[in-house]
Amino acid sequence: MNNVTPRLPKLALGPVLYYWPRETLLAFYEQMSASPVDIICLGETVCAKRRSLNIDDWLDLAERLTAAGKEVVLSTMALLGAESELKALRRWCANGRFMVEANDMSAVHLLSGQAPFALGTGINIYNDHTLRFLADLGARRWILPVELSRVALAEIQAQRPAGMETEVFVYGRLPLAYSARCFTARYHNLPKDDCQYRCLNDPEGLTVSSREGQAFLTLNGIQTQSAQTCNLLAELAELRALGVDVLRISPQAEGTERVIATFAAALRGECAPGEAAATLNADLPYGACNGYWQGQAGLQQIAGC
Amino acid sequence: MTYPAASTPTSLELVCPAGNLPSLKAAIDHGADAVYIGFRDDTNARHFPGLNFDAKTAAQGVEYAHRRNRRVFVALNTFPQPSGWERWRTAVDRAAELGVDAIIAADISVLDYACRQHPQLPLHLSVQGSATNYEAIRFYHEHFGIRRVVLPRVLALPQVRHVLEHSPVALEVFGFGGLCIMVEGRCLLSSYVTGESPNMCGVCSPAKAVRWQETPQGLETRLNGLLIDRHAPGEPAGYPTLCKGRFTVGEQAYYAIEEPTSLNTLELLPELCAMGIAAIKIEGRQRSPAYVSQVTQVWRTAIDACRRHPTGYAPKPEWQQALGKVSEGQQTTLGAYHRHWQ
């Protein structure tokens, strides 16, 4: 036993998963550059047709955020089929300046042995063998798959390779699935090739409910998310005890600054995590969930023990 | 480690599902070139009660197939968590001992172990490995020497062709059966609602979470309490797979994600054949031996007809009828292969 206090986890802002207009995105990151978040992931990860910012715009933004003291990570697309998408991916991976977060094995392949890289929510790391294999290729940070529990995390952490940082998705609508089909275009009775960029109208996606009115999913183009917002703030003590290095907050159209400020205050010990979590949860349109963390169905919200 | 590229096969190998020994025999007897099976635990993505092979039936199945010069693949295509790792390791060893013709795997740990421990045993990348492009395929080929990749059901036909042109290994595509609308290996919808997913537990929308209930509004199907669909009297009610329910978005109640339908690519055979697709996979290890017989027979006949006269080939109405009868919701689609579906 030693008495060294574990380092405080860093706060990371995940990539914006929705389609926001250019001005909205730039204004959002202007706000974020002044927020207490440590790491910012940039880039379009869901749909290649969303081009509010081009690669050069993203790289300029990355420089500005770096100058403001943020660690910038470039996130890759999760589902790549077309050659044009691979071409953009190659440029992203060879940027030579910022760490890249792989969300598909194509990116892992391009980054292996080239530069240190991070593993995003699109990469399946369910055990320590897989993590070690990817560490040997240059992975330096990984994120727990959102469906895995604290028990699985503890097991993986016990065998974690040296120098590997562990990240956990602690706040936001959970990314649950990717498809060839665009569900937003389907909702509007439009073919994907003529989607008319309708997802611009839904800054936090479209909510799916059962016919009894139970909201449970969010449609975001080709991505499906949870309708409930995952919030693990109340589990902060356990996250720290498990040696989690980075806490990821996924951007929402409203209230992201407040969420970051609340997590930062809890990390500084200025508020009780449980109470702060309850305050955040009170304003959620479809409630909070933490079931995955507890080893249960993801949509459940289980009270702390 | 690097491996030479596998030689490009020219023929469509018909790969059929076998959830148990009777299905395996039915597939072989009706013309399957290969069958794929799983063991009786969560090491495979069809971990259903009463399904799959123990040591004895697996050995019998391999012998039955090999005596007739057909091949057997074992699916070990779920993602082990640390506490379960021994089960996957044992399953790889057991598959090697059985003398199967390939392991179909998805997780890096399983592929790495199999490749190091049993270098003579061919590896196929499972559809659960989510490889939708050739750069991802190159990763698995370079590190594990995979011989074949099973493509997720998300690519349009020109995209399949593009992957094939640049892929270092042979491609297997889904030809018929249940239609996953999401990229396989990356769909957590089932665990979000029930706690169990294909990746973790080898199940999607597990039967133990299903409830059927007659109500004044009609027959209701529920998954862990969530209303998946409500069927008017006389309306056919299928298994409540989560992505195939009727839900409300805005003011509309509809199949928000996908209709209850099966994939059927019979009409694409000449293109798949000309392209050089190595194998066609039939989905349905959870289905009956009667399903396996019926579907295998139709596809055997169709592939043979297509090989004989690729230019004059057209699916016969009786084939489509036979497949339609065993399809989900009794309807079929070309799925993502047809761009408009997307």
Side-chain angles (χ1 to χ4, degrees):
Chain A
M1 291 291 286
N2 61 46
N3 293 322
V4 178
T5 311
R7 210 162 35 132
L8 274 186
K10 289 179 274 191
L11 287 180
L13 184 72
V16 170
L17 301 175
Y18 309 104
Y19 192 19
W20 295 349
R22 180 186 175 87
E23 304 68 41
T24 308
L25 266 182
L26 293 175
F28 176 76
Y29 284 116
E30 190 66 36
Q31 275 187 348
M32 291 302 120
S33 81
S35 80
V37 78
D38 303 292
I39 301 167
I40 297 185
C41 302
L42 296 180
E44 175 56 48
T45 60
V46 174
C47 177
K49 291 172 76 176
R50 298 175 174 179
R51 293 191 193 114
S52 291
L53 300 180
N54 63 32
I55 291 186
D56 292 323
D57 292 335
W58 283 117
L59 293 175
D60 287 347
L61 180 57
E63 292 293 354
R64 290 205 296 280
L65 291 169
T66 304
K70 306 303 182 192
E71 178 192 335
V72 171
V73 173
L74 304 181
S75 285
T76 77
M77 292 276 296
L79 173 53
L80 300 105
E83 189 61 36
S84 56
E85 291 161 7
L86 290 176
K87 201 175 151 196
L89 176 72
R90 289 187 192 103
R91 196 170 158 211
W92 211 228
C93 290
N95 80 85
R97 172 102 166 85
F98 303 101
M99 185 156 82
V100 175
E101 174 180 83
N103 280 309
D104 183 69
M105 291 312 288
S106 54
V108 171
H109 183 57
L110 292 171
L111 292 161
S112 293
Q114 302 297 314
F117 59 94
L119 300 159
T121 54
I123 304 292
N124 285 337
I125 297 161
Y126 282 68
N127 58 69
D128 50 296
H129 296 255
T130 294
L131 187 59
R132 206 170 311 118
F133 189 93
L134 294 171
D136 289 344
L137 299 178
R140 292 293 172 266
R141 185 182 293 157
W142 73 291
I143 190 163
L144 181 74
V146 300
E147 72 169 351
L148 287 192
S149 70
R150 59 202 177 95
V151 174
L153 176 62
E155 291 169 356
I156 298 173
Q157 288 295 75
Q159 305 292 331
R160 162 165 65 154
M164 177 66 72
E165 286 191 320
T166 297
E167 183 168 355
V168 173
F169 189 107
V170 295
Y171 193 93
R173 293 196 177 92
L174 298 162
L176 296 178
Y178 299 87
S179 175
R181 174 175 275 172
C182 175
F183 302 109
T184 303
R186 179 178 171 87
Y187 169 69
H188 292 288
N189 273 316
L190 292 167
K192 184 180 172 189
D193 288 339
D194 179 29
C195 67
Q196 301 175 16
Y197 305 103
R198 291 294 182 96
C199 50
L200 274 170
N201 299 335
D202 309 305
E204 294 190 350
L206 287 160
T207 304
V208 181
S209 304
S210 76
R211 282 191 284 167
E212 291 176 322
Q214 183 182 354
F216 72 110
L217 296 177
T218 300
L219 304 178
N220 173 37
I222 65 149
Q223 184 188 55
T224 307
Q225 305 176 339
S226 62
Q228 284 68 37
T229 298
C230 167
N231 183 358
L232 301 184
L233 179 54
E235 320 297 330
L236 192 57
E238 189 169 21
L239 287 160
R240 292 189 61 184
L242 286 170
V244 173
D245 304 282
V246 181
L247 306 177
R248 172 171 301 206
I249 293 164
S250 189
Q252 303 294 322
E254 304 290 337
T256 301
E257 264 188 315
R258 180 177 164 226
V259 173
I260 293 170
T262 307
F263 271 80
L267 282 172
R268 289 192 304 264
E270 293 169 10
C271 60
E275 289 166 25
T279 308
L280 288 177
N281 292 350
D283 292 338
L284 294 172
Y286 305 111
C289 64
N290 62 7
Y292 278 140
W293 178 252
Q294 306 287 354
Q296 304 293 320
L299 53 63
Q300 291 185 12
Q301 172 68 11
I302 293 156
C305 311
Chain B
M1 218 177 329
T2 55
Y3 294 82
S7 61
T8 310
T10 50
S11 63
L12 292 172
E13 183 181 42
L14 179 59
V15 182
C16 294
N20 53 33
L21 195 55
S23 286
L24 182 146
K25 290 179 176 174
I28 299 290
D29 294 348
H30 288 84
D33 297 307
V35 293
Y36 62 106
I37 67 173
F39 295 136
R40 281 193 177 167
D41 56 23
D42 52 358
T43 57
N44 76 93
R46 290 288 184 280
H47 176 217
F48 297 166
L51 206 66
N52 292 318
F53 290 72
D54 58 21
K56 189 178 161 202
T57 51
Q60 288 171 336
V62 170
E63 195 198 349
Y64 192 86
H66 283 179
R67 272 174 184 266
R68 288 156 184 81
N69 205 24
R70 316 297 173 79
R71 308 207 290 164
V72 178
F73 308 147
V74 173
L76 300 173
N77 56 348
T78 44
F79 293 80
Q81 293 174 47
S83 58
W85 165 244
E86 270 309 301
R87 228 163 27 253
W88 275 259
R89 196 181 62 79
T90 311
V92 170
D93 292 341
R94 204 192 313 164
E97 282 160 23
L98 279 167
V100 300
D101 300 280
I103 285 179
I104 310 170
D107 187 53
I108 286 173
S109 69
V110 177
L111 290 162
D112 187 48
Y113 176 79
C115 156
R116 284 168 192 275
Q117 202 67 27
H118 306 286
Q120 78 294 347
L121 180 59
L123 296 174
H124 295 179
L125 183 68
S126 167
V127 70
Q128 292 286 114
S130 319
T132 59
N133 60 73
Y134 61 84
E135 293 288 7
I137 297 172
R138 284 175 181 172
F139 175 87
Y140 293 102
H141 177 248
E142 191 172 300
H143 294 289
F144 312 118
I146 58 162
R147 309 272 184 97
R148 180 184 286 186
V149 55
V150 186
L151 289 184
R153 283 160 270 193
V154 296
L155 298 176
L157 212 48
Q159 292 176 315
V160 174
R161 184 178 291 116
H162 185 71
V163 172
L164 184 61
E165 282 165 0
H166 296 84
S167 169
V169 304
L171 300 190
E172 178 170 313
V173 300
F174 275 89
F176 183 82
L179 179 64
C180 270
I181 179 101
M182 305 300 184
V183 183
E184 294 91 335
R186 282 190 183 166
C187 180
L188 314 181
L189 296 191
S190 178
S191 63
Y192 187 64
V193 172
T194 73
E196 297 191 358
S197 70
N199 285 5
M200 285 193 293
C201 309
V203 292
C204 174
S205 310
K208 67 182 181 197
V210 171
R211 293 287 176 275
W212 305 77
Q213 197 177 9
E214 284 289 359
T215 72
Q217 293 87 36
L219 177 64
E220 292 181 348
T221 52
R222 290 177 186 273
L223 202 55
N224 200 18
L226 179 82
L227 182 65
I228 300 299
D229 212 340
R230 187 184 283 147
H231 304 270
E235 192 182 20
Y239 188 86
T241 306
L242 183 48
C243 61
K244 293 174 179 174
R246 272 179 287 199
F247 305 118
T248 305
V249 183
E251 299 298 309
Q252 299 179 40
Y254 66 115
Y255 294 108
I257 300 171
E258 174 60 326
E259 283 91 5
T261 182
S262 291
L263 177 73
N264 180 8
T265 64
L266 218 45
E267 65 184 84
L268 302 180
L269 262 184
E271 283 174 89
L272 296 171
C273 190
M275 219 186 267
I277 294 294
I280 297 272
K281 174 163 249 158
I282 307 297
E283 186 276 344
R285 283 195 285 130
Q286 72 285 12
R287 303 289 299 264
S288 68
Y291 163 94
V292 173
S293 305
Q294 179 79 77
V295 176
T296 303
Q297 186 162 33
V298 169
W299 277 83
R300 176 78 276 148
T301 311
I303 290 172
D304 291 346
C306 183
R307 279 202 188 121
R308 275 196 305 273
H309 301 294
T311 49
Y313 168 91
K316 292 195 174 159
E318 58 264 35
W319 301 344
Q320 300 288 28
Q321 276 166 19
L323 294 181
K325 276 183 200 155
V326 293
S327 297
E328 195 176 350
Q330 303 210 355
Q331 53 175 337
T332 63
T333 171
L334 287 173
Y337 295 116
H338 188 224
R339 181 79 191 178
H340 286 156
W341 173 94
Q342 301 188 5

